[in-house]
Amino acid sequence: MREGNSGTEKIIIAPSILSADFSNLAGAAREIDASGAQWLHFDVMDGRFVPNLTFGPKAAADLRPHSKAVFDVHLMTGDPDSLVPGFAGAGADYITFHTEAVIHSHRTLSLIQAAGRKGGISIVPSTPVSRIEELLPFADLVLVMTVNPGFGGQEIIPRCLEKVKRLVDIRKERGYGYLVSVDGGINETTAPMAREAGADVMVAGSAFFGAKDKAGLVRKLGGEGL
Ligand code: DX5
Ligand code: ZN
């Protein structure tokens, strides 16, 4: 059982390659490994659930040999079920979908786990924790969006961090085992708030790829930079 991050534990930093130069994704994956960040966050957008388009399973499969990181796939798509086999086959470790996109969230979570991957649920800023309460015993990860999904480089909505606290409290009260991840607007200034709220994982896109000293940034965010 996880107790929540007390502030002394290291945070897992998950740089998002959404903010990398798409003409050199393999180089970006190598920069992530070289920084000491343990995860690579892979934002999948379908132009329907969010007003932007990114990459599919082939991009993840092609990147896999270039990185030792845990592949943290974040599906911002209207039909996540159809992409689960592709990303599971591509070597994704975690596959997270938006509960707002599907009716049968428990089925989607089961599909991911039946494919041998860790299953995550994500909520946008306007979705309360109560909406996913029945799913929490089954989840490996809960991703709290702290911006409206679709684009990197947006400002954090600090109120969303109250949901991180709530999820950490529920986990402790009920003995659940999910990791709590925060995604959107995380940088040196906002990371302490996310850490204080108890986040286990922090996704960072523009802050990571905008930093000259990437290992230094990972350490400043609370992670184990090389
Ligand atoms: C937004 C994505 C985020 C994004 C974070 O839709 O889910 O992962 O890349 O980028 P920053 O850290 O720039 O807010
Ligand atoms: Zn994301």
Side-chain angles (χ1 to χ4, degrees):
M1 182 179 99
R2 297 187 66 89
E3 291 285 321
N5 206 310
S6 60
T8 50
E9 255 176 70
K10 291 286 180 205
I11 308 273
I12 295 167
I13 306 299
S16 168
I17 57 159
L18 177 66
S19 299
D21 175 352
F22 278 24
S23 70
N24 185 14
L25 291 178
R30 286 192 292 266
E31 279 187 304
I32 292 172
D33 277 10
S35 74
Q38 295 141 292
W39 287 24
L40 182 155
H41 188 80
F42 197 88
D43 283 309
V44 181
M45 305 186 184
D46 67 351
R48 289 178 58 121
F49 183 73
V50 289
N52 200 358
L53 273 174
T54 57
F55 12 59
K58 184 176 184 299
D62 288 355
L63 271 180
R64 194 57 284 192
H66 296 277
S67 172
K68 293 191 304 285
V70 168
F71 269 27
D72 179 33
V73 172
H74 178 192
L75 299 178
M76 286 162 277
T77 65
D79 180 17
D81 293 23
S82 66
L83 289 170
V84 168
F87 278 105
D93 297 287
Y94 283 80
I95 301 177
T96 297
F97 67 97
H98 274 268
T99 193
E100 300 89 358
V102 292
I103 297 171
H104 305 293
S105 290
H106 180 271
R107 179 178 288 155
T108 305
L109 203 52
S110 307
L111 194 67
I112 297 167
Q113 290 163 340
R117 306 302 174 204
K118 304 266 191 200
I121 322 160
S122 184
I123 49 175
V124 302
S126 58
T127 301
V129 168
S130 56
R131 163 130 184 207
I132 55 167
E133 214 172 324
E134 294 303 319
L135 289 167
L136 294 177
F138 308 102
D140 297 304
L141 179 140
V142 181
L143 188 154
V144 176
M145 289 290 322
T146 39
V147 298
N148 288 295
F151 303 93
Q154 303 181 75
E155 246 180 62
I156 194 169
I157 304 168
R159 190 189 161 87
C160 297
L161 293 173
E162 288 171 28
K163 292 191 272 186
V164 172
K165 259 189 212 139
R166 177 89 192 105
L167 285 161
V168 169
D169 288 347
I170 292 176
R171 177 174 69 195
K172 192 170 181 187
E173 276 161 28
R174 305 184 197 167
Y176 297 156
Y178 50 78
L179 293 170
V180 183
S181 177
V182 279
D183 187 1
I186 298 296
N187 53 39
E188 277 175 52
T189 313
T190 58
M193 290 192 283
R195 190 185 178 120
E196 174 74 24
D200 307 292
V201 183
M202 286 186 202
V203 177
S206 47
F208 181 85
F209 284 100
K212 273 210 175 89
D213 174 9
K214 291 182 169 47
L217 191 266
V218 168
R219 284 193 301 268
K220 281 182 193 152
L221 296 183
E224 223 153 349
L226 289 181

